[in-house]
Amino acid sequence: MRAVLARYLQVSGTKALVSLLMFLVLGAITQGIAFTLVVPITDDLLTPDTPVPWSWIAVLVAITVVHSVLHYRSVPMGNRIGADLVTTLHRAVADRASALPTRSLGPVHADRLASLDGSAVVVLMGLPAHVLRPLVAAVVTPLTVIVISLFVEPLLAATLAGGLLVVVAASFATARLLTRDEEPDGPEWLRRAYESPGAFPHGGRPGVLLPAVGQVLLWRIVELAVCGAVAVCAVLSTGDDVSAAQGVALIVLSALTFRPVMEAALLTSTVVNSRATLSTVGRLIGAGDPEPPTAEWPVACDVEFEDVGVAVGGATVLTGVSFRLAAGTTAALTGTPDGVRLTLADLLTGDLRPTSGRVLIGGVDVAAIAASEAERRLCRVSPVQGAGSAGSDGSDGSDGVAGSSPSLADRWRLALEGAIAADPALVVVDATAGAEAFATAPDLAELLSTLVRDRTCLVIPGAGLPLPHCDEELVVEGARVAVRATEVR
């Protein structure tokens, strides 16, 4: 949680927070003054044959107006700070995620990122907008009442000060009781919902309603008991000559004085319950994480797999893959299954990181090459890249209607022409799907030959793809790759 707040303060500074605190402190002081005015007003209103205390009521109205203005000014300030905090975290997490290879963000981290849009956002927005206000009032409002009472009735002030210590201790104990269990984040709630039949209406178990009601009732019982005890002590401390009206006024004063402390404890427990989620977010954006890759694209463009292995969830996808592809040569990646061949392509483009071993381009680990360099010098070609870029004239099997989706051949043509125009140093041609379009459009084979010429290229052929000149063939055999020195034409 500290990492989250530290990141916000690094970006936004403390000026906005100090301004908000100034308004909150002034609002808490005016609230304390208003609470003390309850005593003379209530006493006069409940005492028979006593005129209505219009002067005190006028002062109370004036104080209320000032408090309302301060509240009106501070609410948008708190909302703005909360929005800035959430936006800052969103951008920080997005920057971190964008620097990662496409498939390296596993399900566990994806769940944590999703939780940022759930309970974490609510908590972060509520910190300055809702939680900070009762925290300030819990300190400043009782102290204001105690200071004013000190000039009127020192014994009452001392009793209220002692009651404040009791209320703080009781609030702390109750908050600890309410936070004995960590609040689960979104993914954890989903897991519980699917694993526990009690989470469903007809599962035969109570679910979460009864425990939640029990916690609220427990909290209210403690709150009423503590406030009542302090109020009685305040009445008794003023002496035997206290009238019934004065006793009621002092009880109301005590309940109003210590209510902010109880509310602050309750809201703080909500934040503490989400500390696991905020800590996870802090680790995602924290300062101790590795820096993004910054290496430049190597001068040479040979490809080398050094004893590469990939395991997912305990299952071995690849093991002991080692081969070298010289710069400027083309290799065909054949065999089955297609999933392993696509995994090799993902490793080469840096979209997937190996569990063991290294993938090198020009002697540089793919994971160390800067994302901007890889985007400029490395190209992956497939018919998906050309989708939606142009219309079709119907010559390749489309209906020829203006504005209709481009045909498969058109998508291949757009992808190949775009790759040729980009002039990459390393090309991966993924033809595991859609290779049949080459049979209906002879110009595609020529475009493919132009693309792979004088470049380091890995072609993953599908059924119907006319292979260009290839210097060697890499044959997938289960979880291994065998290298054939003979040329494939």
Side-chain angles (χ1 to χ4, degrees), residues 347-430:
L347 290 168
L348 180 55
T349 57
D351 290 338
L352 180 66
R353 291 182 181 176
T355 307
S356 60
R358 296 189 303 167
V359 180
L360 306 175
I361 299 178
V364 179
D365 196 317
V366 173
I369 299 176
S372 58
E373 289 287 312
E375 183 178 357
R376 184 172 61 90
R377 304 293 290 162
L378 194 153
C379 182
R380 184 166 184 164
V381 182
S382 71
V384 177
Q385 293 173 282
S389 300
S392 172
D393 59 6
S395 61
D396 299 312
S398 64
D399 55 12
V401 179
S404 62
S405 299
S407 68
L408 182 60
D410 284 334
R411 294 198 298 268
W412 265 115
R413 189 175 294 108
L414 289 169
L416 292 170
E417 290 177 349
I420 293 172
D423 192 22
L426 178 61
V427 178
V428 175
V429 179
D430 178 7

Side-chain angles (χ1 to χ4, degrees), residues 8 27 63 75 102 107 146 153 259 315 375 416 421 458:
Y8 165 71
I63 293 296
V75 167
T102 305
I146 292 171
E153 184 66 48
R259 182 64 185 270
E375 183 178 357
L416 292 170
L458 182 66

Side-chain angles (χ1 to χ4, degrees), residues 20 70-83 129 133:
L20 175 62
L70 294 172
H71 180 79
Y72 176 78
R73 291 294 305 274
S74 63
V75 167
M77 293 174 63
N79 291 334
R80 191 180 306 113
I81 291 177
R133 183 183 308 279

Side-chain angles (χ1 to χ4, degrees), residues 69-405:
V69 172
L70 294 172
H71 180 79
Y72 176 78
R73 291 294 305 274
S74 63
V75 167
M77 293 174 63
N79 291 334
R80 191 180 306 113
I81 291 177
D84 290 343
L85 176 55
V86 173
T87 303
T88 300
L89 293 177
H90 270 303
R91 290 175 178 172
V93 174
D95 291 342
R96 292 295 311 281
S98 64
L100 297 174
T102 305
R103 292 171 178 81
S104 65
L105 192 63
V108 176
H109 290 87
D111 286 345
R112 302 286 80 77
L113 287 175
S115 69
L116 178 62
D117 290 321
S119 59
V121 167
V122 176
V123 172
L124 294 175
M125 281 293 295
L127 281 175
H130 304 292
V131 178
L132 192 60
R133 183 183 308 279
L135 284 177
V136 172
V139 176
V140 178
T141 298
L143 291 179
T144 302
V145 175
I146 292 171
V147 170
I148 295 176
S149 302
L150 186 63
F151 294 97
V152 179
E153 184 66 48
L155 185 58
L156 175 62
T159 304
L160 293 177
L164 178 61
L165 297 178
V166 174
V167 171
V168 169
S171 301
F172 178 76
T174 307
R176 287 293 300 271
L177 182 64
L178 293 177
T179 58
R180 64 186 186 277
D181 297 324
E182 290 186 353
E183 179 74 13
D185 56 17
E188 178 65 15
W189 274 115
L190 289 176
R191 185 188 67 79
R192 292 185 182 184
Y194 280 100
E195 292 182 358
S196 173
F200 296 94
H202 305 292
R205 293 175 61 184
V208 299
L209 179 60
L210 291 181
V213 172
Q215 285 189 352
V216 172
L217 289 178
L218 174 64
W219 173 258
R220 292 308 176 191
I221 290 173
V222 173
E223 178 182 5
L224 293 175
V226 172
C227 288
V230 174
V232 171
C233 292
V235 173
L236 296 177
S237 65
T238 56
D240 299 332
D241 56 344
V242 177
S243 64
Q246 290 176 335
V248 172
L250 292 175
I251 290 175
V252 173
L253 174 63
S254 300
L256 292 175
T257 301
F258 299 114
R259 182 64 185 270
V261 182
M262 312 298 285
E263 292 297 329
L266 180 60
L267 291 174
T268 303
S269 67
T270 303
V271 177
V272 174
N273 277 336
S274 300
R275 62 187 181 276
T277 299
L278 293 179
S279 298
T280 303
V281 175
R283 287 194 296 271
L284 285 171
I285 66 172
D289 297 328
E291 295 294 329
T294 57
E296 296 183 355
W297 188 264
V299 177
C301 200
D302 56 298
V303 174
E304 185 173 2
F305 278 59
E306 289 186 351
D307 197 25
V308 172
V310 175
V312 179
T316 300
V317 180
L318 286 174
T319 178
V321 177
S322 297
F323 64 86
R324 185 177 183 277
L325 184 61
T329 59
T330 301
L333 186 58
T334 61
T336 55
D338 282 350
V340 175
R341 296 197 294 163
L342 293 175
T343 298
L344 288 169
D346 293 339
L347 290 168
L348 180 55
T349 57
D351 290 338
L352 180 66
R353 291 182 181 176
T355 307
S356 60
R358 296 189 303 167
V359 180
L360 306 175
I361 299 178
V364 179
D365 196 317
V366 173
I369 299 176
S372 58
E373 289 287 312
E375 183 178 357
R376 184 172 61 90
R377 304 293 290 162
L378 194 153
C379 182
R380 184 166 184 164
V381 182
S382 71
V384 177
Q385 293 173 282
S389 300
S392 172
D393 59 6
S395 61
D396 299 312
S398 64
D399 55 12
V401 179
S404 62
S405 299

